[in-house]
């Protein structure tokens, strides 16, 4: 079957850098580009647009498009001008004459993903963020057919739950809490192994299900819980990127690598989700709070360089909204944009996102907004 193809619209060329004062094109944007295996839609958009996430706004006006999310290795993108004089990036139909006797036929393969799939894949397929209530209802490992405290490949696990005969399951362990201040929003759940059910159980009759361990990342322990590998997991490669129109105010509460500082292509966790009307593909700005300054008779200085008394004044002032004393004035500086991220897995009040652009290292605690 002939694969569907798609085109990226471009807002402008170097000679016409702005359309509707919202989109710009880079001066070095190529006139032609051949899509390669390993490319992402973000990569290609970034070749042309200064705000790559804005390409869906233009795609909907392109009559060429059958499915705007599918671009394939081998597609030839050509920067042209439409009948109204507007620049547009079109897709070569796949046949290009090189001489009277030679031509190239573009070979199609798998559509390229929006972002690097190798980084997203573990989160899309396996890793979960679950609340305490959700964890209480999930089947758990009771033990194995070996009198070992930890189980490995080939062991049979006995699971407290009515599992599906022949079903493939992931075995998980409760990890660190994802916290917003003192509130726990969810718990990280990390994959420790996989297995397949060899005998369905019946919990009402006191019969556990039997699961044979196929693969392990860590030794499996009693109390680990079991979920179908397909449960709640949408293995998407393409996302329709857009900035939300509603006001968004949240922050980064954790990172996938558990570091406190990280760069582009890192996975982070946000204290935002579908409750804020966010969806997979939502693009948000990352903001960094500039350092607080305390001004007194010795002049202005950063809070960390101030005296203990001035620091106490700054802390108390922040709590009660009173930033000035008789001798000191506290200046709370504005926040500045340091990057962008895109949500790729959204729960009610928590989301996984990938940092897609940075001007400074990103940190846990940085704010996110539209």
């Amino acid at each position: 079957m002939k694969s569907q193809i798609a085109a990226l619209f471009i807002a402008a060329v170097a000679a016409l850098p702005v359309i509707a004062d919202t989109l710009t094109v880079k001066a070095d944007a190529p006139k032609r580009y051949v899509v390669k295996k390993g490319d992402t839609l973000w990569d290609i958009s970034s070749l042309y647009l200064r705000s790559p996430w804005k390409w869906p706004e233009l795609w909907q006006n392109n009559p060429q498009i059958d499915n705007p999310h599918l671009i394939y290795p081998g597609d030839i993108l050509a920067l042209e001008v439409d009948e109204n004089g507007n620049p547009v990036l079109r897709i070569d139909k796949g046949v290009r004459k090189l001489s009277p006797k030679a031509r190239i036929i573009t070979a199609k393969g798998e559509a390229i993903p929006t972002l690097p799939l190798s980084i997203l894949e573990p989160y899309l397929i396996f890793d979960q963020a679950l609340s305490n209530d959700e964890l209480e209802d999930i089947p758990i490992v009771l033990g194995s057919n070996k009198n070992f405290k930890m189980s490995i490949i080939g062991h049979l696990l006995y699971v407290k739950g009515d599992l599906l005969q022949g079903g493939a399951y992931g075995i998980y362990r409760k990890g660190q809490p994802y916290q917003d201040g003192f509130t726990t929003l969810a718990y990280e759940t990390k994959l420790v192994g996989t297995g397949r059910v060899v005998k369905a159980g019946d919990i009402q009759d006191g019969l556990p299900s039997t699961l044979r361990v196929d693969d392990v990342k860590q030794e499996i322990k009693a109390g680990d819980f079991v979920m179908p590998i397909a449960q709640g997991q949408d293995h998407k490669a393409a996302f329709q990127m857009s900035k939300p129109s509603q006001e968004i105010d949240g922050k980064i509460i954790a990172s996938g690598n558990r570091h406190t500082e990280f760069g582009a292509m890192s996975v982070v966790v946000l204290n935002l989700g579908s409750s804020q009307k966010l969806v997979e593909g939502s693009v948000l700005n990352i903001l960094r709070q500039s350092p607080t300054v305390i001004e007194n008779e010795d002049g202005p200085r950063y809070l960390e360089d101030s005296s203990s008394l001035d620091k106490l004044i700054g802390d108390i002032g922040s709590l009660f909204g009173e930033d000035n004393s008789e001798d000191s004035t506290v200046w709370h500086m504005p926040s500045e944009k340091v990057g962008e991220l895109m949500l790729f897995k959204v729960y009610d009040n928590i989301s996984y996102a990938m940092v897609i652009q940075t001007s400074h290292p990103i940190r846990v605690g940085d704010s996110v907004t539209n």
Side-chain angles (χ1 to χ4, degrees):
M1 179 183 292
K2 184 178 179 180
S3 301
Q4 290 181 309
I5 60 175
L8 287 173
F9 266 92
I10 294 304
V13 291
L16 183 58
V18 178
I19 291 181
D21 298 323
T22 59
L23 298 175
T24 59
V25 77
K26 293 182 176 179
D28 59 352
K31 298 294 184 182
R32 296 180 69 80
Y33 181 77
V34 180
V35 180
K36 303 183 298 296
K37 185 176 181 179
D39 280 343
T40 67
L41 290 181
W42 180 265
D43 294 332
I44 293 173
S45 300
S46 298
L47 288 175
Y48 294 91
L49 294 175
R50 296 185 186 280
S51 300
W53 58 267
K54 291 184 177 180
W55 50 256
E57 299 174 18
L58 300 173
W59 271 6
Q60 62 188 346
N61 297 322
N62 191 342
Q64 272 194 310
I65 294 170
D66 295 321
N67 187 328
H69 305 297
L70 300 182
I71 296 178
Y72 296 86
D75 280 341
I76 302 172
L77 309 181
L79 192 62
E80 301 174 355
V81 177
D82 66 15
E83 61 276 10
N84 297 317
N86 297 317
V88 59
L89 196 69
R90 300 194 187 279
I91 290 185
D92 190 294
K93 291 299 183 181
V95 178
R96 182 159 58 96
K97 291 183 179 179
L98 300 180
S99 71
K101 296 182 180 180
R103 66 178 185 174
I104 291 178
I105 301 176
T106 303
K108 296 294 184 181
E110 292 187 3
I112 63 173
T114 306
L115 295 174
L117 194 57
S118 61
I119 299 175
L120 301 186
E121 200 166 28
Y123 297 90
L124 294 172
I125 300 177
F126 295 115
D127 289 5
Q128 303 284 320
L130 301 176
S131 69
N132 244 342
D133 290 342
E134 290 171 320
L135 288 171
E136 287 179 359
D137 296 330
I138 297 175
I140 64 169
V141 174
L142 297 170
S144 78
N145 63 325
K146 305 287 186 181
N147 191 18
F148 299 152
K149 295 187 183 299
M150 298 182 180
S151 297
I152 58 175
I153 294 175
H155 282 193
L156 297 178
L157 302 180
Y158 301 118
V159 179
K160 182 185 176 181
D162 297 330
L163 306 186
L164 180 65
Q165 176 79 31
Y169 285 80
I171 305 154
Y172 296 83
R173 184 164 300 146
K174 182 178 177 180
Q176 66 179 351
Y178 292 133
Q179 292 185 299
D180 183 12
F182 295 106
T183 302
T184 297
L185 301 177
Y187 286 90
E188 174 189 35
T189 58
K190 301 297 290 184
L191 182 77
V192 295
T194 60
R196 189 170 294 276
V197 177
V198 296
K199 187 176 181 181
D202 189 334
I203 296 304
Q204 288 187 345
D205 289 342
L207 181 64
S209 297
T210 304
L211 184 80
R212 183 182 299 278
V213 178
D214 293 332
D215 192 19
V216 295
K217 295 179 67 177
Q218 301 178 36
E219 292 87 351
I220 299 166
K221 304 176 182 178
D224 289 340
F225 53 92
V226 177
M227 292 189 295
I229 288 179
Q231 179 177 312
Q233 295 147 5
D234 185 8
H235 190 179
K236 283 204 241 180
F239 302 86
Q240 184 165 346
M241 294 190 289
S242 63
K243 285 236 176 168
S245 57
Q246 70 277 17
E247 185 175 347
I248 299 296
D249 183 17
K251 65 180 180 180
I252 297 172
I253 61 173
S255 69
N257 59 16
R258 301 190 181 183
H259 296 168
T260 56
E261 193 170 84
F262 29 84
M265 301 299 111
S266 297
V267 173
V268 297
V269 183
L270 312 180
N271 63 342
L272 300 166
S274 57
S275 297
Q276 289 75 37
K277 299 182 180 179
L278 294 174
V279 296
E280 286 88 355
S282 293
V283 177
L284 299 175
N285 295 327
I286 307 171
L287 303 182
R288 170 76 44 76
Q289 178 66 53
S290 297
T292 299
V293 171
I294 292 183
E295 182 184 18
N296 57 24
E297 60 183 8
D298 296 325
R301 60 182 66 183
Y302 291 119
L303 180 61
E304 60 265 29
D305 298 328
S306 301
S307 67
S308 298
L309 178 59
D310 281 337
K311 288 181 182 179
L312 180 61
I313 292 171
D315 292 339
I316 295 175
S318 297
L319 287 173
F320 294 97
E322 299 173 357
D323 295 333
N324 302 328
S325 69
E326 190 173 318
D327 300 317
S328 300
T329 300
V330 179
W331 294 93
H332 296 293
M333 300 305 180
S335 297
E336 302 293 344
K337 182 177 176 179
V338 294
E340 291 181 323
L341 54 76
M342 191 202 83
L343 280 63
F344 64 85
K345 195 169 189 178
V346 177
Y347 299 89
D348 287 344
N349 56 5
I350 199 169
S351 299
Y352 289 107
M354 174 175 279
V355 176
I356 48 181
Q357 194 167 293
T358 66
S359 58
H360 295 80
I362 306 304
R363 301 171 187 164
V364 171
D366 283 344
S367 300
V368 291
T369 180
N370 58 328

